[in-house]
Amino acid sequence: MRHVLEGSHAVSEAVRLARTQVISAYPITPQTHIVEQLSEYCANGTLDARFLRVESEHSALAALIGAASSGVRTFTATSSQGLALMHELLHWASGARLPIVMAQVNRAMAPGWNIWADQTDSLAQRDTGWVQFYCENGQEVLDTTIQAFRLAEWVNLPVMVNLDAFFLSHTYEPVDVPDQKSVDSFLPPYKPRFQLDLANPCAFNQLAPPNIYMEMRHNIQMAMDEAFTFFEQMEEEFDTILGRRHGSVEAIRCDDAEVILITSGTVTSTSRQVVANLREKGEKVGLLKIKLFRPFPVNLLRELTKPASKIAVIDRNFSFGASGIFAQEVKAALCNFPGHPPVYGYVAGLGGRDITTEVIEDIYWLTKNSTAPENESSWVGLREVDHAVGQS
Amino acid sequence: MQLDNLNREHMCSGHVGCPGCGAALAMRFLLKALGNKTIMIIPACCWSIIAGPYPQSTLKIPVLHSAFETGGAVASGVRAAHDIKGDTETTVVTWAGDGGTFDIGFQALSGAVERNENFIYVCYDNEAYMNTGVQRSSSTPYGAWTTTTPGQHWKRLRKKNIVEALVAHRIPYAATASIAFPEDLMRKAKKAKDMAGSRFIHIFSSCPTGWGMPSEMSVKIARMAVQTTIFPLYEVEDGLRYTINYTPKGYLVNEYFRLQGRFKHLTEEDLNSIQEMVDEDWNLLLRKAGVALETS
Amino acid sequence: MAAQQTPTNRTPLLIPCSYLTTEGNKTGSWRFLRPRYEEKTSPCSAACPAGEDIGRVEMLTAQGSFKEAWETVMMENPFPGVCGRVCYHPCEQQCNRREFDEPVAIHSLERFLADTASRYELQLSLQKLESKKQKIAVVGSGPSGLAAGYFLTLLGYQADIFEALPEPGGVLRWGIPLYRLPLSILNREIAQIRELGVQIHCGKSILQEFWRGGKSEYDAIFLGCGHSRSLPLKISGEDLAGVKDGLQFLADIRRGEVSALDGTAAVIGGGNTAVDTARSAARFGAKVILIYRRRRQDMPAFAEEVEMALEEGVELWELQTPVNIAAQDGDFVVTLQHTHVIGKDGQRKARVKPDSNKKKEIRVQHLFKAIGAEAGETWHDPPKKTRGMLGLSNCVLLHKSREPTLVYGGDLVADIKSVAHAVASGKQAAIALDILFHEGLDAVRPRLQSCLVAEGPSISWETYIGGPRSLRNQRVVRYSDLNTDYFQFAPMMIQPRLLPEERFQSFAEINLKIGASLAIREAERCFNCGLCNQCDNCHLFCPEIAVTRDNNPRGRHINYDYCKGCGLCVVECPRNAMILEEELLCDTS
């Protein structure tokens, strides 16, 4: 049934429908609406779950590690500083192969304090072994969150569902909220492959010496490979039951594009408009949306960017000393692919600065009119500032 | 010694604790009292190693090894999960060293206790970060050498009183225990097991390796710590009612310190001021026990 | 699109999760010191002249195993009922517990065990060894003779005891008053010895001719005749009519030939016989003065006896010695010379010298002398050093080629005259003869050496026949060897007694019996020094869980596969029943 929901509540509805059993979270703007709603659901019995009001994000994930190890379905939500605080345990959750689902609201990293949209927080955690999705709109948020549980429980990896601060988390959109029965038929109760069990006592996560650690790590990568294929199979099922799918990537008018824009998150929505406009003016432009970031859809990327002569990646994030992260990943995916188009990296919208249609159009024209990328990432729309320290 | 559960062991031989390890004894006694309907969370500490490397485990109960500072939080999650599955009987225990309790793990412990999570937290205290090579912790006593308080920079700060810190949370049950008093330890563990809410047991676990004494002195030194009131045996219920379990008869601290290499640099004067501190703390405890009697 | 993923083609999970215990780690390889159970010797058993295994006796008593405890005593001493009443209990003076609070009341407990055996008519189940052909004659049925007969019979020999008097017992029957040793006790313990197969022939005096010249049917003779002749005072007037001999007086009482004594009685002497004489005389109504030439603390009599004598109204005059006795109107006038202390002798007793011209006279109605005794016949005394003679600690052996071997024992050779020493003497003689018969004279001393309880002269029967005690280390456990953390203060039991005013009204036994619960409580005070009493501290305090119980109730054993040699078991053993020794490099056990 369609409701007008803000992105946060799309998450909480999904978590409710997924019959999550233990929720543990620490509040941080702009994730608060997610957990507040869930807290109320737990309190009024709408959701039969335990809600642990822990004293920090680190403890939130720690608690879920304990709960997931006990064989129940678990969920948390956080953002920027909170995610960074969890960092140690992000590694732990994947290393322990626990199917924890997290909604992660992409917010800028401090200092200075900035609560607005920026993807650096989750991308800085790309090595921690979590499956990562970047959502464009409320519907996708809800669908992906439900799917996250299914995927996580299949491959035994934790899954992070990312949504832009405020642009998505606090924006109201019409969202179809499926009925419980449909969700139940898609997402059966969690059947753990291992758990703390009095009948079969063993120790988990103990010392793993050099002679075995590498095999365990390899096993994680194998799960990532499996996540990729299972995602497609899962979307097929989802489509059958609920009549929609989003794809690990989405190609919009790429078949005959000369310049392909690559985006993620809410920027994609704006980009769709820009592409439509430019096409009307006869520009051969396409748009590739990356939704699944880990595992990185290398083959799909290679396939879908084949037609283009130039690729422009828009990053609302940055890896200092290198470049925008999506740009890096795209370059890495393509570099062994002979004859691949050059990749132009653009950094825009950090700390919640608006990426308007103008900005995107500028990026298109810049790309189209350049012969080669000048640097790894070009910073778009930097303003003149005074009052820098040391400035005369 | 009359113990009717002498035959039940929930731990195997072949673990890799040092000879004379007090922590191994502490675990053995605890499990005898708790039984095997227990799930144990072990954050990083000596026992992370003692328990044996993959694919071994020395404990005959389910164990979840966890990150250093997460003892209180992981237990909260395990408890919540079991409760939601309908199992409210299984005992959830965190077994942590002093590092993971007093210092890096204090936040999670305090948080869990403040929420009155239904679990038992047991800290086996060897008074330093032993697993990483004898560095000081806030539970290292006044006067001790450690690798981070070497030479004349021996620790001139008192041991943090973790029990009192938790008593301030109005924890339902907090107690001290010692490997030299196994029946007392087991009684307290059993008592804790039958209670609800957060319960904390602080076990004095000698470390011959880190304290510079022969391995055979482990139990004796633990007994002396109690007899000199350096480590008194007492319980506190609901943060209000104190019960002192053992009132010793005026043993001076000197011999306790003289037997351990980690204290060998202390002079007569140092020992005298330490005796004063110990007496002061003991009197404070007596007052608390007395004051509580008046108001309850 | 890739192949459909199903539960069966899912990649298996490789996670850090255990599937083995640590029992595969044989941590015993870490060890460089090895603990071991080794029982050692308790100081009480070393101090007991008869070498009783006291630590074990108290352990068994504490466990309620009274029969086993009694038999453990009987293995070293057939007279627990007697000794439990009249022994001077040197054991209690060496008891380690006395450094903790007070010694264990070993003396009272020994009596309790004998009384219990008597009350329940327990039968001794000690096995006699296989019969031997040799026959031994025992002269005198005092404690040394009876003990010799007892142990010889246990060894498989035929022992015949010859007693001059009409009833057996020697000094036990004739020299110890009933208020110390009731006859029923003595009779029962002698009957026990008879039941074993010892023949006692009363009314048979033995002379030297018994074995001299010609064939004797006996292969050896044990001489336990004791000292039957009182020592003279060597002053004028001592042979006056009416001057009685203390030992004779006690025998007369036993025969019922003494009636009331009016007036004052003086007893000269400071040993047990003197005190017994004094207390007996008091019971017959006399006002008694005990006159001793040294101080009270120098008296050879047992301190308790002196104490009780004083409580019973006996007056003690120290530092006085008689120099003349005169008769006057049916009374005796005794001239006493004062003495004073001029130094100490080897045993810290005073040496005295007459105080010149300080004299006084007393007038008494009865006079008894009891300053000691000596052998009744000259041939009772062992010869001076001669060929074939072996001077052992408690007896003297004289081996001659064509005559029976003579063994002089009991008071004839003893430095300290006590029942326990007499028993030790008889035991040593029996074992010495057994060695002599089987291995020759040269083997006697070394073989006896191997049965020593500790360094001292006491030997153990059980060790000689190879019982469990023979495995024990002879090192004596001292107080500093114990871990007293496990003991609580508990005062020594108070031996119940007749009230002082009840005592001297009759010859009824002064010490009263105790019940089983008091006995057990007192026996539990015993530290069991050097012995394992299954307290299980070793089992409890092993961090490796490497100490387990044997099926044998006496034992624990160590699993050396896992023992790291930390030594906690050894230190936490309250009674030092373990040792820690270096691990042998090539040890394969």
Side-chain angles (χ1 to χ4, degrees):
Chain A
M1 189 171 144
R2 284 169 80 79
H3 292 270
V4 176
L5 294 178
E6 63 171 56
S8 310
H9 292 157
V11 174
S12 40
E13 289 310 302
V15 172
R16 173 185 64 82
L17 288 165
R19 299 188 189 273
T20 307
Q21 293 168 286
V22 172
I23 300 165
S24 180
Y26 192 77
I28 179 169
T29 309
Q31 150 266 44
T32 43
H33 289 183
I34 302 175
V35 296
E36 283 167 3
Q37 179 74 284
L38 286 170
S39 187
E40 205 169 305
Y41 281 159
C42 289
N44 65 25
T46 311
L47 175 58
D48 181 24
R50 285 283 187 278
F51 191 104
L52 291 169
R53 295 155 200 79
V54 287
E55 75 293 339
S56 83
E57 287 88 350
H58 192 278
S59 289
L61 190 49
L64 292 190
I65 286 168
S69 302
S70 307
V72 300
R73 190 167 280 161
T74 53
F75 174 81
T76 188
T78 191
S79 181
S80 90
Q81 306 303 123
L83 184 67
L85 183 58
M86 283 181 181
H87 175 77
E88 176 198 21
L89 296 180
L90 294 176
H91 281 284
W92 195 286
S94 61
R97 307 301 298 276
L98 297 170
I100 298 171
V101 170
M102 178 194 298
Q104 215 290 124
V105 184
N106 284 120
R107 164 187 138 168
M109 292 296 300
W113 289 117
N114 181 307
I115 59 172
W116 297 278
D118 187 308
Q119 294 168 323
T120 310
D121 57 356
S122 59
L123 289 170
Q125 308 299 342
R126 62 195 184 278
D127 300 330
T128 56
W130 284 61
V131 172
Q132 287 199 17
F133 291 110
Y134 287 83
C135 297
E136 183 189 348
N137 56 46
Q139 187 67 67
E140 189 171 26
V141 162
L142 186 143
D143 294 345
T144 309
T145 305
I146 293 175
Q147 290 174 355
F149 288 101
R150 180 87 190 274
L151 174 60
E153 288 163 17
W154 183 260
V155 299
N156 274 97
L157 286 177
V159 177
M160 194 186 294
V161 178
N162 294 289
L163 56 155
D164 289 333
F166 292 99
F167 291 136
L168 189 37
S169 67
H170 284 63
T171 302
Y172 281 82
E173 293 175 89
V175 173
D176 174 52
V177 180
D179 58 291
Q180 185 68 65
K181 204 153 148 265
S182 306
V183 175
D184 286 344
S185 63
F186 170 73
L187 179 66
Y190 175 34
K191 259 181 58 182
R193 286 212 264 171
F194 63 88
Q195 61 179 304
L196 294 164
D197 184 5
L198 289 173
N200 181 22
C202 59
F204 289 102
N205 306 330
Q206 77 273 64
L207 190 79
N211 67 351
I212 195 65
Y213 181 81
M214 211 160 142
E215 280 69 20
M216 291 175 178
R217 293 281 127 177
H218 181 244
N219 198 259
I220 297 174
Q221 176 55 29
M222 287 169 71
M224 276 287 185
D225 291 339
E226 218 167 85
F228 191 82
T229 48
F230 186 76
F231 177 74
E232 298 192 344
Q233 180 181 318
M234 180 180 66
E235 278 222 302
E236 187 71 40
E237 245 185 83
F238 193 86
D239 197 359
T240 312
I241 298 171
L242 286 160
R244 35 171 200 275
R245 70 171 77 204
H246 304 278
S248 51
V249 300
E250 187 185 339
I252 298 110
R253 307 191 73 165
C254 290
D255 301 337
D256 65 338
E258 281 170 12
V259 174
I260 295 184
L261 301 175
I262 299 188
T263 61
S264 60
T266 50
V267 182
T268 313
S269 281
T270 322
S271 303
R272 285 177 203 270
Q273 188 63 50
V274 170
V275 163
N277 292 348
L278 288 169
R279 276 280 177 176
E280 245 172 62
K281 293 186 191 145
E283 297 297 321
K284 295 263 196 350
V285 63
L287 172 64
L288 187 60
K289 165 189 169 185
I290 298 184
K291 176 209 172 102
L292 177 65
F293 177 76
R294 278 287 182 273
F296 197 75
V298 170
N299 291 333
L300 275 175
L301 200 69
R302 289 175 177 176
E303 272 304 306
L304 296 168
T305 56
K306 245 202 253 192
S309 46
K310 286 178 185 172
I311 296 172
V313 182
I314 305 181
D315 271 308
R316 198 178 212 138
N317 61 78
F318 201 77
S319 174
F320 298 104
S323 71
I325 294 168
F326 273 91
Q328 267 189 324
E329 297 271 337
V330 168
K331 288 177 203 169
L334 295 179
C335 90
N336 285 338
F337 201 53
H340 70 84
V343 178
Y344 292 72
Y346 296 95
V347 180
L350 297 187
R353 185 171 295 181
D354 216 347
I355 302 180
T356 59
T357 50
E358 284 81 16
V359 169
I360 298 168
E361 268 182 42
D362 281 347
I363 286 170
Y364 170 75
W365 288 114
L366 274 168
T367 311
K368 184 170 179 197
N369 298 333
S370 305
T371 40
E374 272 169 25
N375 40 33
E376 298 310 301
S377 279
S378 299
W379 291 66
V380 175
L382 284 178
R383 297 189 304 121
E384 286 286 315
V385 294
D386 44 21
H387 298 112
V389 173
Q391 194 168 26
S392 52
Chain B
M1 203 164 289
Q2 283 150 358
L3 298 157
D4 54 2
N5 44 16
L6 208 53
N7 289 323
R8 296 192 318 173
E9 302 288 351
H10 303 296
M11 193 174 128
C12 298
S13 306
H15 65 74
V16 298
C18 300
C21 174
L25 276 177
M27 172 71 84
R28 186 175 169 209
F29 297 150
L30 181 84
L31 290 181
K32 276 175 179 293
L34 293 183
N36 61 5
K37 201 165 175 194
T38 303
I39 291 179
M40 185 171 273
I41 292 101
I42 304 183
C45 59
C46 282
W47 255 94
S48 306
I49 309 303
I50 295 174
Y54 176 88
Q56 297 176 339
S57 177
T58 204
L59 299 176
K60 297 183 189 170
I61 53 170
V63 172
L64 186 62
H65 290 270
S66 77
F68 203 175
E69 63 282 67
T70 62
V74 172
S76 305
V78 173
R79 176 81 273 153
H82 280 79
D83 286 349
I84 197 73
K85 286 196 294 182
D87 173 8
T88 50
E89 296 283 306
T90 301
T91 308
V92 174
V93 179
T94 296
W95 173 263
D98 50 293
T101 302
F102 286 60
D103 298 326
I104 198 171
F106 189 68
Q107 178 199 308
L109 168 58
S110 172
V113 169
E114 183 272 328
R115 295 190 297 275
N116 201 22
E117 297 283 359
N118 191 17
F119 78 125
I120 304 177
Y121 191 109
V122 184
C123 171
Y124 67 95
D125 187 359
N126 50 29
E127 303 195 323
Y129 302 145
M130 291 307 184
N131 194 30
T132 43
V134 199
Q135 293 88 20
R136 72 82 110 192
S137 79
S138 64
S139 100
T140 302
Y142 184 100
W145 165 94
T146 65
T147 55
T148 47
T149 57
Q152 277 310 301
H153 291 262
W154 48 268
K155 189 168 183 265
R156 291 166 201 268
L157 299 163
R158 282 168 119 128
K159 183 186 177 96
K160 182 189 283 188
N161 193 326
I162 189 77
V163 170
E164 293 304 309
L166 293 172
V167 161
H169 290 54
R170 289 290 184 89
I171 187 172
Y173 184 71
T176 60
S178 166
I179 56 166
F181 293 82
E183 298 115 325
D184 175 75
L185 194 164
M186 290 194 248
R187 175 186 67 82
K188 286 167 174 165
K190 197 124 208 308
K191 178 173 175 175
K193 178 176 169 213
D194 295 335
M195 292 172 76
S198 298
R199 294 144 274 160
F200 181 81
I201 303 180
H202 181 201
I203 305 182
F204 186 90
S205 303
S206 328
C207 175
T209 310
W211 296 3
M213 62 183 193
S215 55
E216 68 263 23
M217 295 302 289
S218 254
V219 173
K220 195 143 184 87
I221 212 79
R223 191 173 300 112
M224 287 170 80
V226 173
Q227 287 168 334
T228 53
T229 71
I230 287 170
F231 189 86
L233 291 181
Y234 69 105
E235 308 165 75
V236 189
E237 288 163 285
D238 295 320
L240 287 174
R241 294 180 301 281
Y242 284 71
T243 307
I244 296 178
N245 306 120
Y246 181 92
T247 304
K249 303 145 204 119
Y251 290 78
L252 295 177
V253 301
N254 293 34
E255 214 204 319
Y256 173 77
F257 285 97
R258 288 275 170 251
L259 287 170
Q260 300 173 62
R262 64 176 173 154
F263 292 122
K264 70 175 190 285
H265 47 271
L266 296 176
T267 62
E268 274 305 303
E269 212 182 295
D270 294 326
L271 291 177
N272 288 337
S273 47
I274 289 175
Q275 181 71 62
E276 274 174 29
M277 282 192 264
V278 169
D279 292 340
E280 184 183 61
D281 287 343
W282 173 248
N283 287 329
L284 178 60
L285 180 61
L286 288 176
R287 282 208 305 280
K288 284 180 184 167
V291 165
L293 284 170
E294 283 178 61
T295 56
S296 66
Chain C
M1 179 118 129
Q4 280 280 39
Q5 296 215 354
T6 62
T8 43
N9 67 7
R10 273 211 277 191
T11 311
L13 274 179
L14 179 61
I15 49 169
C17 164
S18 65
Y19 54 87
L20 294 176
T21 68
T22 51
E23 281 163 335
N25 302 336
K26 304 295 188 191
T27 51
S29 59
W30 300 14
R31 200 169 54 234
F32 54 89
L33 290 177
R34 170 187 281 247
R36 187 161 65 79
Y37 292 99
E38 185 181 73
E39 294 200 326
K40 303 179 191 63
T41 302
S42 50
C44 47
S45 61
C48 174
E52 288 178 33
D53 193 357
I54 298 173
R56 186 157 170 81
V57 170
E58 308 314 353
M59 187 198 312
L60 292 167
T61 307
Q63 291 167 1
S65 305
F66 300 143
K67 176 166 194 269
E68 290 78 357
W70 172 68
E71 284 184 338
T72 305
V73 177
M74 296 292 284
M75 270 205 277
E76 306 298 346
N77 177 359
F79 293 115
V82 172
C83 289
R85 287 168 168 80
V86 308
C87 186
Y88 70 109
H89 45 79
C91 49
E92 290 185 12
Q93 285 136 41
Q94 293 301 314
C95 176
N96 277 330
R97 182 122 197 176
R98 84 192 186 291
E99 290 191 58
F100 184 72
D101 45 21
E102 295 172 297
V104 176
I106 301 168
H107 182 63
S108 303
L109 286 172
E110 181 169 46
R111 178 197 154 152
F112 166 79
L113 289 173
D115 287 353
T116 303
S118 166
R119 176 163 154 70
Y120 294 101
E121 293 170 9
L122 297 180
Q123 298 305 310
L124 198 61
S125 51
L126 290 184
Q127 293 293 346
K128 284 196 278 199
L129 299 188
E130 81 279 6
S131 297
K132 316 273 195 308
K133 63 175 171 41
Q134 289 89 347
K135 285 176 70 174
I136 296 97
V138 176
V139 181
S141 68
S144 69
L146 288 167
Y150 174 75
F151 284 107
L152 285 165
T153 309
L154 282 177
L155 282 167
Y157 297 98
Q158 173 60 44
D160 290 337
I161 301 182
F162 296 96
E163 167 57 50
L165 294 173
E167 288 176 275
V171 73
L172 299 179
R173 182 180 298 275
W174 308 108
I176 299 181
L178 293 175
Y179 56 80
R180 290 178 67 204
L181 180 59
L183 271 179
S184 56
I185 308 298
L186 178 64
N187 287 338
R188 173 177 148 89
E189 296 205 318
I190 294 177
Q192 190 107 57
I193 294 174
R194 278 192 155 122
E195 267 167 55
L196 210 54
V198 179
Q199 303 291 320
I200 307 179
H201 309 279
C202 291
K204 284 266 174 57
S205 237
I206 300 297
L207 305 171
Q208 264 187 314
E209 290 68 40
F210 182 73
W211 66 83
R212 281 272 189 82
K215 283 200 320 187
S216 171
E217 61 179 301
Y218 292 104
D219 301 275
I221 321 275
F222 177 82
L223 293 169
C225 329
H227 283 172
S228 49
R229 188 206 311 253
S230 288
L231 286 177
L233 291 170
K234 297 205 175 92
I235 59 172
S236 77
E238 72 170 302
D239 296 319
L240 288 169
V243 175
K244 294 253 173 57
D245 171 60
L247 217 48
Q248 185 63 45
F249 174 61
L250 294 174
D252 291 340
I253 294 173
R254 192 55 61 89
R255 278 191 287 266
E257 292 167 11
V258 176
S259 49
L261 299 174
D262 295 323
T264 311
V267 179
I268 317 287
N272 282 316
T273 304
V275 174
D276 283 340
T277 305
R279 294 173 70 191
S280 299
R283 278 158 174 76
F284 279 99
K287 163 90 187 76
V288 183
I289 304 171
L290 183 58
I291 300 169
Y292 182 56
R293 67 184 178 88
R294 296 190 292 186
R295 305 164 304 174
R296 177 174 166 182
Q297 62 261 43
D298 304 316
M299 291 171 74
F302 301 156
E304 274 162 20
E305 302 291 323
V306 175
E307 171 106 21
M308 284 199 271
L310 297 175
E311 279 173 5
E312 287 161 17
V314 171
E315 241 181 81
L316 173 65
W317 289 8
E318 302 166 277
L319 297 166
Q320 314 268 350
T321 190
V323 292
N324 185 62
I325 306 172
Q328 207 175 81
D329 304 324
D331 293 342
F332 297 102
V333 174
V334 185
T335 311
L336 297 172
Q337 166 85 58
H338 289 230
T339 61
H340 65 265
V341 180
I342 55 165
K344 298 267 171 68
D345 66 9
Q347 280 131 17
R348 311 265 285 266
K349 305 246 168 145
R351 285 189 296 127
V352 297
K353 185 174 130 131
D355 221 346
S356 52
N357 298 329
K358 261 183 116 179
K359 293 192 177 135
K360 69 165 174 242
E361 283 184 357
I362 52 163
R363 191 189 187 90
V364 298
Q365 285 65 54
H366 311 276
L367 184 57
F368 300 95
K369 50 179 181 174
I371 61 164
E374 58 188 0
E377 306 283 340
T378 49
W379 54 266
H380 284 177
D381 284 320
K384 298 290 177 258
K385 249 198 144 62
T386 165
R387 207 155 54 98
M389 192 176 110
L390 206 54
L392 302 170
S393 54
N394 291 91
C395 61
V396 173
L397 204 101
L398 188 58
H399 179 64
K400 297 222 173 106
S401 43
R402 277 168 299 123
E403 281 186 358
T405 303
L406 291 181
V407 188
Y408 299 81
D411 281 355
L412 294 178
V413 297
D415 289 330
I416 304 175
K417 298 190 183 167
S418 75
V419 178
H421 282 87
V423 169
S425 173
K427 185 190 333 188
Q428 189 179 58
I431 293 176
L433 286 173
D434 189 51
I435 300 168
L436 176 70
F437 293 146
H438 290 99
E439 298 173 53
L441 189 67
D442 291 333
V444 172
R445 215 187 271 284
R447 283 284 272 128
L448 279 175
Q449 194 80 11
S450 66
C451 321
L452 285 178
V453 170
E455 281 170 11
S458 321
I459 56 173
S460 160
W461 158 265
E462 190 188 335
T463 300
Y464 180 66
I465 61 164
R469 195 177 180 184
S470 59
L471 298 172
R472 225 176 269 171
N473 188 325
Q474 287 168 333
R475 186 166 95 74
V476 172
V477 173
R478 297 291 167 204
Y479 184 68
S480 56
D481 298 325
L482 302 172
N483 182 346
T484 56
D485 290 335
Y486 294 95
F487 304 125
Q488 310 280 346
F489 290 126
M492 186 175 177
M493 66 166 255
I494 298 174
Q495 170 64 50
R497 298 199 159 116
L498 290 179
L499 299 172
E501 55 270 26
E502 290 172 319
R503 289 178 209 158
F504 69 89
Q505 291 167 11
S506 71
F507 277 78
E509 191 178 6
I510 293 172
N511 283 340
L512 304 173
K513 62 177 187 244
I514 63 173
S517 71
L518 179 57
I520 289 176
R521 199 153 19 110
E522 184 61 22
E524 281 173 344
R525 290 181 70 244
C526 174
F527 289 158
N528 308 130
C529 306
L531 306 175
C532 171
N533 72 348
Q534 302 97 47
C535 77
D536 268 336
N537 265 14
C538 50
H539 169 81
L540 186 67
F541 286 113
C542 177
E544 318 309 325
I545 317 178
V547 177
T548 46
R549 291 155 155 174
D550 280 335
N551 285 329
N552 168 7
R554 215 163 157 158
R556 302 280 175 277
H557 76 266
I558 294 169
N559 187 341
Y560 290 108
D561 279 346
Y562 300 110
C563 168
K564 292 171 184 160
C566 73
L568 272 175
C569 50
V570 178
V571 165
E572 295 309 314
C573 176
R575 42 201 54 88
N576 203 316
M578 300 183 77
I579 59 165
L580 197 60
E581 44 191 18
E582 264 192 66
E583 179 75 18
L584 300 170
L585 287 176
C586 305
D587 193 66
T588 53
S589 64

